[in-house]
Amino acid sequence: MTISRADDRSAVTGKRRIAFAVHTDADALPAVATLLRSLVLSNPAVCEDVVVLHPGLPDAEFDGLRRLHPRLITRRAGSRDEMLRLPDHDTVIALDPAMVVLGDLGELLRLRRGVAAVPQVWCDETGAERRSVLPDGLKVVQRADAEKGDAEVAVDARFDFLTRRLHDGLPVPPQVAVLHFSHPSDAPGYGPAAEARARFELDDEEFRAAYRALPGGKHPELVAHLAPPLLETRPSLDLARTVADVYRQQGRYDEAVAVLAPVLDDRADAPRCHETLGLCLMALSRYAEAETHLLLAAASPDTAPRAFAQLARLAWLCGREADAHAYARQGLTADPTDAGCHAWYVRTREEPGAAPDPAPASEQLAHVALFAEGNENAGDKVLPEAVRQCFGTDTGPRRWYQQHAHLLVDEAALERLNARRGVVVGGGGLFLPDTSPNSNSHWQWNMPDELLGRLTAPLAVFAVGYNVFDGQQYRRTRFAESLRKLVERSAFFGLRNHGSIDRVRELLPAGLRDRVRHQPCPTTVADLLVPPAERTPRSDTVLVNCAYDRAGLRFGHDYGHFLAEMAFALRQLGERADVRYAAHMPADEKFVHDLRREHGLSLPVERLYALSNDAIRDLYRGVRLVIGMRGHAGMIPFGCGTPILSLVSHPKLAYFLSDIDRPEWGLSVHDRDLGPRLAERAAALLDDHDAAVADVRAAQETLWKTTQANIAELRGIFGISDSSSGT
């Protein structure tokens, strides 16, 4: 199975590409294998590219190394020096076959500047002490600095500890992270050093078993590479669950089921295995089987709350609201504090009071979207209303039939959709495989292809985004099949930025690509869709927002750097404005806690997820600047006429800024000089605020004209007039 890396957008997000590199010849290949095993076993949660440079060895010579690591890259090179200027990587940690890794290399991975190395101490022929970097010593090279010829940065000797310091059988100091053999490994007098190396001279099965036995967190790519072969030689239910869990994280649900189902049966003593299998079956839209295994998981007190929360979600997906509520209630009985069960209990309870009488179905539009409730993402609350505002002021249930995108479209649901005058799907980042996975479409609308082909109501895909994260492993084949049928069936197919348009066109046959057009997110023209009754006075306030879903994909090894740079910038801004934090969802508040703990800086919090849509827009209208990492922490304030700066950790932010021709409003979270640059750009916007607001309004014009033209076309498609839409 090949996992597509087509969604590596590091050139857009600025995310660092990191590699370990080693130069070898044929004689040193066994030593490289030992080095590689030591790297994996000493840093089990780290999985970066490993580039092996060589003078022209046959490709088959590297098969043994490929069994040790999933991200091995071989490259022909004339000399070791070529390791220091790899064109496809921003940071290179250059190693040598004479090394073994004994400890954590996180400090090296977090280095951001210069060419770092360990100065070695030696005596010249006169006995004078000298310091220099060995030609074959460890180096950490930042490509930007290597190209400029910046001076070397000294790192601690424990990262390149020479065995010559261990003469007469001295033990290896416990703090040593990289042991460098300056003598043959079997030289007399260096027994402890040789023993340290011998720990990693393992055959493949011993190596895999050693990795499996390590405590603590492990990188999913390494687990997926090393654990499956053990299932053939050392099968166990626990190992099968480990492999299945990793496959589930990677979206390989069918493989997870194939690994776990044959060894599980209906064993009552394996609730966590039933839980994993149930989740994977649900992701494959095999809902009846999934329910069976989740019920088996719910029989154990340890897994019952989680299992009942998933059972509630499953029942809700299938349109069984009463069952969903009952499952949530059972989960709360097992654990009254369980947040997942509480959320489903609230979501599925019957609301008191009569709903307004809807218009006849034939006069309604159906809206398929993510409809946030409770403390869910504030942007996902504002967005559906903004989509409806494009078609008129009546955005409620009288004129609109609401269908949550995650709900399974079955025969009854299809009949309800076909009864409407049209179906609007969007907006938001619905082209994403992992929020609520299903095998019916492989994106967020749970619509089987066969039923899509029988949808007779006019269909408009409206302001949808291709929301795959930089570096996210995404099996795109199934999505491409569904996407083709969706485009063929749609009367209108509009994506919210040109970056998404490019990504989707890559997946379509040539004859369908021109049908994909631009429809900006309607939040970006909010004040033009529904002008506010009165202009909110602006306070001298700057709002900041950060996002923490999929933090590993957003920050990589740079989170500590990001936090420090933000602390610098916010202290600068705090001298001239009231800096406050805008949380779009509760998880966003991690930034405030980390900032206070690590840097002693406190920010007041505005909890947008607890506000109404009008209150969210009013808050964004009433400040002078918004610095946001979430897409809608930029698009909503922009639509309200407020200047923005974007913290780019996802391609969609850069795509939007490119569309409005304002790339300078974005700064990568990986920027080495993020703090000073953010402070400088924010100060410039605050210094000439009237001009900044005028710039926002000018940038809106093209988006507004595009939206107006598209809505005029859609009115014709749906056969609606101003009077019928409530305008």
Side-chain angles (χ1 to χ4, degrees):
M1 195 282 299
T2 300
I3 296 176
S4 172
R5 295 195 182 277
D7 292 302
D8 178 4
R9 302 294 165 187
S10 54
V12 177
T13 63
K15 187 176 181 179
R16 277 196 302 152
R17 296 161 297 179
I18 301 175
F20 295 98
V22 62
H23 187 272
T24 187
D25 56 22
D27 292 340
L29 278 175
V32 174
T34 301
L35 168 64
L36 194 49
R37 286 190 289 265
S38 73
L39 172 64
V40 170
L41 293 177
S42 299
N43 293 262
V46 173
C47 188
E48 302 295 342
D49 289 346
V50 175
V51 181
V52 179
L53 291 89
H54 60 93
L57 302 177
D59 188 64
E61 291 288 307
F62 302 100
D63 288 348
L65 297 183
R66 292 188 179 100
R67 291 195 297 270
L68 303 179
H69 203 279
R71 298 179 66 175
L72 193 87
I73 300 169
T74 60
R75 182 175 169 187
R76 186 167 183 165
S79 71
R80 186 182 192 276
D81 290 344
E82 292 189 39
M83 285 194 298
L84 309 182
R85 47 181 184 272
L86 298 178
D88 298 326
H89 295 87
D90 304 294
T91 300
V92 175
I93 300 177
L95 303 170
D96 188 82
M99 296 174 177
V100 288
V101 180
L102 304 180
D104 181 10
L105 300 186
E107 184 176 324
L108 302 183
L109 292 164
R110 292 188 291 272
L111 289 174
R112 298 301 313 270
R113 296 184 183 279
V115 178
V118 175
Q120 304 292 352
V121 180
W122 53 281
C123 293
D124 65 15
E125 63 276 4
T126 68
E129 187 176 278
R130 304 292 186 188
R131 292 170 65 87
S132 65
V133 174
L134 295 178
D136 61 349
L138 177 144
K139 286 188 176 181
V140 184
V141 181
Q142 311 299 331
R143 185 176 62 179
D145 295 328
E147 291 171 351
K148 295 186 296 185
D150 281 18
E152 290 183 342
V153 176
V155 297
D156 193 275
R158 66 193 180 92
F159 290 110
D160 194 357
F161 193 92
L162 300 180
T163 56
R164 72 185 183 197
R165 301 173 61 179
L166 302 176
H167 55 82
D168 296 331
L170 290 175
V172 180
Q175 70 272 22
V176 170
V178 178
L179 185 62
H180 189 170
F181 282 79
S182 49
H183 299 80
S185 59
D186 58 353
Y190 296 92
E195 291 173 6
R197 182 185 187 89
R199 300 204 315 264
F200 306 108
E201 293 174 338
L202 310 168
D203 64 31
D204 287 352
E205 183 166 347
E206 290 171 334
F207 169 58
R208 292 166 183 147
Y211 186 77
R212 163 73 177 141
L214 290 172
K218 301 180 181 71
H219 197 283
E221 282 190 68
L222 287 170
V223 175
H225 188 71
L226 298 175
L230 285 176
L231 284 172
E232 300 178 9
T233 58
R234 307 185 184 190
S236 73
L237 186 57
D238 183 58
L239 180 58
R241 184 178 70 86
T242 297
V243 173
D245 270 332
V246 170
Y247 283 167
R248 182 171 67 87
Q249 293 176 46
Q250 297 179 329
R252 299 161 65 179
Y253 305 109
D254 49 351
E255 292 174 82
V257 171
V259 164
L260 196 51
V263 297
L264 181 56
D265 297 323
D266 59 351
R267 286 178 52 174
D269 61 338
R272 287 186 172 84
C273 295
H274 286 293
E275 180 185 19
T276 297
L277 183 54
L279 292 172
C280 293
L281 288 166
M282 185 160 35
L284 293 172
S285 303
R286 293 162 61 177
Y287 297 119
E289 296 169 81
E291 191 163 13
T292 297
H293 287 282
L294 289 172
L295 283 169
L296 289 168
S300 168
D302 292 338
T303 53
R306 293 197 309 270
F308 277 122
Q310 293 300 329
L311 283 163
R313 181 167 76 93
L314 185 154
W316 175 82
L317 287 174
C318 296
R320 295 157 43 201
E321 291 255 345
D323 289 345
H325 191 70
Y327 280 139
R329 187 170 61 248
Q330 287 179 272
L332 290 174
T333 300
D335 180 0
T337 67
D338 187 80
C341 289
H342 181 267
W344 283 110
Y345 182 86
V346 171
R347 184 172 201 153
T348 56
R349 67 186 175 188
E350 292 185 8
E351 295 292 341
D357 291 333
S362 61
E363 296 179 13
Q364 287 185 314
L365 287 174
H367 188 193
V368 177
L370 303 184
F371 299 102
E373 298 178 1
N375 289 339
E376 294 178 332
N377 193 330
D380 289 337
K381 294 180 181 179
V382 173
L383 178 56
E385 182 183 48
V387 169
R388 298 177 186 193
Q389 286 173 338
C390 291
F391 296 88
T393 56
D394 188 346
T395 61
R398 194 176 71 86
R399 290 289 180 184
W400 289 87
Y401 167 73
Q402 179 173 302
Q403 171 88 11
H404 197 290
H406 293 168
L407 289 172
L408 173 66
V409 179
D410 56 14
E411 293 288 346
L414 177 66
E415 184 177 349
R416 291 191 292 270
L417 293 175
N418 280 336
R420 269 66 197 181
R421 69 191 313 155
V423 178
V424 178
V425 179
L430 298 182
F431 291 154
L432 179 68
D434 64 353
T435 297
S436 181
N438 72 83
S439 66
N440 290 319
S441 69
H442 208 56
W443 60 291
Q444 295 301 290
W445 191 18
N446 198 350
M447 166 65 97
D449 290 345
E450 190 271 330
L451 295 187
L452 178 64
R454 291 162 50 203
L455 181 68
T456 56
L459 173 64
V461 175
F462 189 84
V464 169
Y466 184 83
N467 235 35
V468 176
F469 280 71
D470 174 18
Q472 188 170 28
Q473 296 180 336
Y474 185 12
R475 303 174 77 191
R476 307 197 306 173
T477 303
R478 176 67 190 90
F479 172 58
E481 295 170 358
S482 180
L483 180 67
R484 176 181 58 79
K485 295 178 181 179
L486 180 70
V487 175
E488 289 174 341
R489 177 64 192 81
S490 298
F492 177 93
F493 195 93
L495 302 186
R496 66 182 179 184
N497 52 60
H498 284 87
S500 291
I501 291 172
D502 292 341
R503 303 292 80 75
V504 166
R505 283 177 173 169
E506 290 170 0
L507 298 171
L508 290 172
L512 292 177
R513 291 170 188 166
D514 287 345
R515 297 184 63 174
V516 183
R517 64 174 79 181
H518 186 211
Q519 170 50 56
C521 179
T523 62
T524 63
V525 292
D527 277 7
L528 298 170
L529 278 173
V530 182
E534 56 184 31
R535 185 59 58 188
T536 304
R538 295 187 188 272
S539 63
D540 195 18
T541 300
V542 173
L543 287 178
V544 179
N545 164 268
C546 297
Y548 282 88
D549 55 306
R550 306 168 185 83
L553 293 173
R554 290 184 184 275
F555 299 111
H557 298 285
D558 291 342
Y559 181 60
H561 164 79
F562 166 76
L563 206 61
E565 294 295 305
M566 289 297 294
F568 175 89
L570 297 181
R571 283 196 171 96
Q572 298 288 311
L573 284 172
E575 295 178 1
R576 57 180 303 161
D578 177 23
V579 180
R580 306 177 74 84
Y581 189 70
H584 273 225
M585 56 193 308
D588 291 359
E589 295 179 40
K590 175 177 169 57
F591 177 78
V592 178
H593 303 314
D594 290 353
L595 192 68
R596 181 172 57 246
R597 184 186 66 251
E598 298 295 328
H599 299 282
L601 185 59
S602 296
L603 296 180
V605 177
E606 300 284 354
R607 293 180 171 85
L608 275 68
Y609 55 82
L611 301 180
S612 68
N613 290 351
D614 286 339
I616 292 170
R617 288 185 286 260
D618 285 344
L619 179 67
Y620 275 138
R621 287 187 185 107
V623 301
R624 291 166 59 80
L625 174 66
V626 176
I627 301 169
M629 191 184 298
R630 290 198 174 277
H632 281 109
M635 290 187 287
I636 296 173
F638 174 89
C640 294
T642 298
I644 63 169
L645 290 172
S646 290
L647 301 169
V648 179
S649 67
H650 187 292
K652 65 184 178 183
L653 286 91
Y655 293 159
F656 170 64
L657 296 179
S658 175
D659 283 349
I660 60 174
D661 197 26
R662 303 296 190 279
E664 69 276 11
W665 290 356
L667 298 99
S668 169
V669 299
H670 305 278
D671 191 321
R672 295 197 303 178
D673 299 307
L674 174 62
R677 288 178 176 172
L678 178 59
E680 180 183 9
R681 294 188 194 181
L685 293 173
L686 294 173
D687 285 342
D688 197 355
H689 191 259
D690 289 344
V693 172
D695 198 12
V696 170
R697 297 299 187 193
Q700 282 182 322
E701 285 303 312
T702 300
L703 306 182
W704 179 233
K705 290 177 182 177
T706 300
T707 300
Q708 285 180 305
N710 288 342
I711 292 300
E713 180 179 342
L714 283 166
R715 288 182 184 279
I717 291 171
F718 294 143
I720 58 177
S721 63
D722 286 352
S723 59
S724 65
S725 59
T727 57

